[in-house]
Amino acid sequence: ALSAIQEAKKLVEQAPIEPAISSMHAQIAWIHYHAHQLDEAIKVYEEVLKKYPNDQRVQETSRFSLSAIYVLKQDYVKGESLLQEVLNKDPENSQANNDLGYLWAEQGKNLEQAEAMIRKALDLDPTFTMAADELKRFNTSGQMMIPMGPRRS
């Protein structure tokens, strides 16, 4: 994996800015993330966000991944902030609504809003089974009946 990262870095540094290159650059961060090199993944994702501001797909996926990394590091404020950035650009983003709602519910805060966001995610995408599962944890008065706990992949 490390040789693949080095080769990809060389290609990214030499290539002009275009969508395929921005995706490759983000892929380097993804490799670090999945190799549990979280600080390096954060560094590379932040480079991606700065270098490719017009590639909305890469911007969004990088923010989702960064949010997940910060949550793993128990920096919930940064994780929430990144999801809020996605929602500021696209309030109808089902994944961002679900993820932020889940994150709040997991912490036992903003429970009514968390439930509404998860419900909105499911309304936006009725096939979003993770949102449907998470919604089952709330009772009819917006209180969590079952703690969220760790997510299944």
Side-chain angles (χ1 to χ4, degrees):
L2 292 177
S3 63
I5 291 171
Q6 295 304 323
E7 188 62 30
K9 282 182 179 179
K10 286 179 193 173
L11 291 171
V12 166
E13 290 167 1
Q14 297 169 357
I17 296 175
E18 49 186 74
I21 299 305
S22 60
S23 294
M24 185 181 295
H25 199 166
Q27 191 67 22
I28 294 168
W30 184 88
I31 292 168
H32 284 297
Y33 172 25
H34 290 277
H36 304 285
Q37 299 168 350
L38 302 181
D39 292 332
E40 188 62 24
I42 289 169
K43 179 182 156 205
V44 177
Y45 275 125
E46 288 176 352
E47 288 172 6
V48 168
L49 290 174
K50 287 178 187 160
K51 191 169 183 177
Y52 311 103
N54 297 321
D55 188 333
Q56 294 307 312
R57 186 183 60 76
V58 166
Q59 288 280 314
E60 183 178 287
T61 58
S62 294
R63 282 188 174 86
F64 280 124
S65 294
L66 265 173
S67 174
I69 292 167
Y70 281 120
V71 168
L72 281 173
K73 293 176 66 93
Q74 297 183 340
D75 188 341
Y76 298 107
V77 172
K78 283 187 181 177
E80 292 170 13
S81 175
L82 286 154
L83 294 171
Q84 193 61 60
E85 287 176 26
V86 173
L87 287 169
N88 289 343
K89 291 179 190 260
D90 181 9
E92 304 302 303
N93 186 300
S94 60
Q95 182 180 347
N97 274 285
N98 182 70
D99 289 0
L100 186 55
Y102 177 91
L103 188 52
W104 283 344
E106 183 180 55
Q107 297 173 75
K109 67 182 197 181
N110 305 329
L111 291 178
E112 286 183 26
Q113 189 175 1
E115 180 189 17
M117 293 176 83
I118 295 169
R119 192 171 300 284
K120 180 177 182 176
L122 191 57
D123 288 345
L124 291 166
D125 180 1
T127 66
F128 200 163
T129 56
M130 189 177 290
D133 290 345
E134 290 163 2
L135 204 51
K136 292 175 188 173
R137 297 172 186 239
F138 287 90
N139 67 21
T140 55
S141 63
Q143 298 299 310
M144 268 197 345
M145 297 185 309
I146 304 168
M148 289 296 200
R151 261 194 168 160
R152 303 168 313 282
S153 298

